[in-house]
Amino acid sequence: MKKLFLTLVLALLFASQSKAAPVLGVNLDPTVTVNNQQLKLNGYGIRKKFFVKVYIGSLYASKPFSSATAALSDNSDKLIRMNFLHSKVEKEKIIEAFNEGLGSNSPDTVGLPEVKKFLSLFTADFVHGDSVDLILSANGSVSVSHNGKVLGSIPSTKLAKGVLAIYLGDKPADEALKKGMLGN
């Protein structure tokens, strides 16, 4: 009987790890594939602005990170996924938020041509149900997709580190989101 119970518990454990975890009605995949490499969900949090839930921010990485310092100094592939919860976030607000985040955490990136190109990729508003992926590749490039459609890719290690610092830097967009993305 004990053997049967243990088998059942292990089967349920492995089954639950392979399925998407629902958070506020959004299924968060436990793994994603980036550049032919499997990345695991490191953690997630809710981006709030004045008590409004804007999006679920998820960090995927090839190895677990519980500290921002370790994640920021690591050069392996990472994915930041934003699953939008709010009815509408205007593109101007998104661009403003990225600009602000880069200025607060990576002031040396402000005004760089690659940052301008990155910001120019955001040409549409985001609505409830939209998904935006920011792929920070080991080669230093940043690729952006909106609902699975690739918007562009920019080769810039400085930009890649700056984008990650928006979420995990000393002055993150949202401290609770940072903690959640680090699994804390």
Side-chain angles (χ1 to χ4, degrees), residues 130-176:
D130 278 0
S131 177
V132 175
D133 285 350
L134 306 173
I135 297 173
L136 312 172
S137 297
N139 68 8
S141 66
V142 178
S143 300
V144 180
S145 66
H146 180 197
N147 294 333
K149 179 185 174 197
V150 177
L151 302 179
S153 185
I154 299 138
S156 171
T157 302
K158 192 177 270 194
L159 175 63
K161 291 196 178 291
V163 169
L164 187 59
I166 290 170
Y167 299 91
L168 304 181
D170 291 336
K171 299 174 186 173
D174 185 308
E175 190 65 42

Side-chain angles (χ1 to χ4, degrees), residues 18-175:
S18 65
K19 292 184 179 179
V23 177
L24 297 174
V26 175
N27 288 328
L28 302 182
D29 295 320
T31 61
V32 295
T33 302
V34 170
N35 298 327
N36 297 317
Q37 181 182 9
Q38 190 175 44
L39 305 182
K40 294 180 182 173
L41 178 62
N42 193 78
Y44 66 88
I46 312 297
R47 171 68 168 115
K48 294 180 183 174
K49 186 90 171 179
F50 305 116
F51 305 105
V52 173
K53 294 174 183 172
V54 181
Y55 62 82
I56 300 169
S58 306
L59 174 64
Y60 290 84
S62 58
K63 57 186 172 189
F65 294 108
S66 59
S67 86
T69 304
L72 290 164
S73 64
D74 179 76
N75 292 326
S76 64
D77 290 336
K78 294 173 195 64
L79 171 89
I80 295 170
R81 176 167 287 161
M82 296 179 284
N83 294 98
F84 281 82
L85 302 169
H86 193 57
S87 58
K88 181 179 178 182
V89 181
E90 296 168 343
K91 67 179 180 180
E92 294 82 9
K93 295 288 184 188
I94 293 294
I95 292 168
E96 180 183 314
F98 277 121
N99 239 338
E100 205 173 282
L102 287 166
S104 295
N105 292 285
S106 305
D108 58 326
T109 64
V110 175
L112 291 177
E114 56 263 42
V115 171
K116 290 179 182 178
K117 185 175 180 184
F118 171 73
L119 297 174
S120 75
L121 296 176
F122 301 99
T123 59
D125 299 336
F126 299 141
V127 297
H128 178 81
D130 278 0
S131 177
V132 175
D133 285 350
L134 306 173
I135 297 173
L136 312 172
S137 297
N139 68 8
S141 66
V142 178
S143 300
V144 180
S145 66
H146 180 197
N147 294 333
K149 179 185 174 197
V150 177
L151 302 179
S153 185
I154 299 138
S156 171
T157 302
K158 192 177 270 194
L159 175 63
K161 291 196 178 291
V163 169
L164 187 59
I166 290 170
Y167 299 91
L168 304 181
D170 291 336
K171 299 174 186 173
D174 185 308
E175 190 65 42

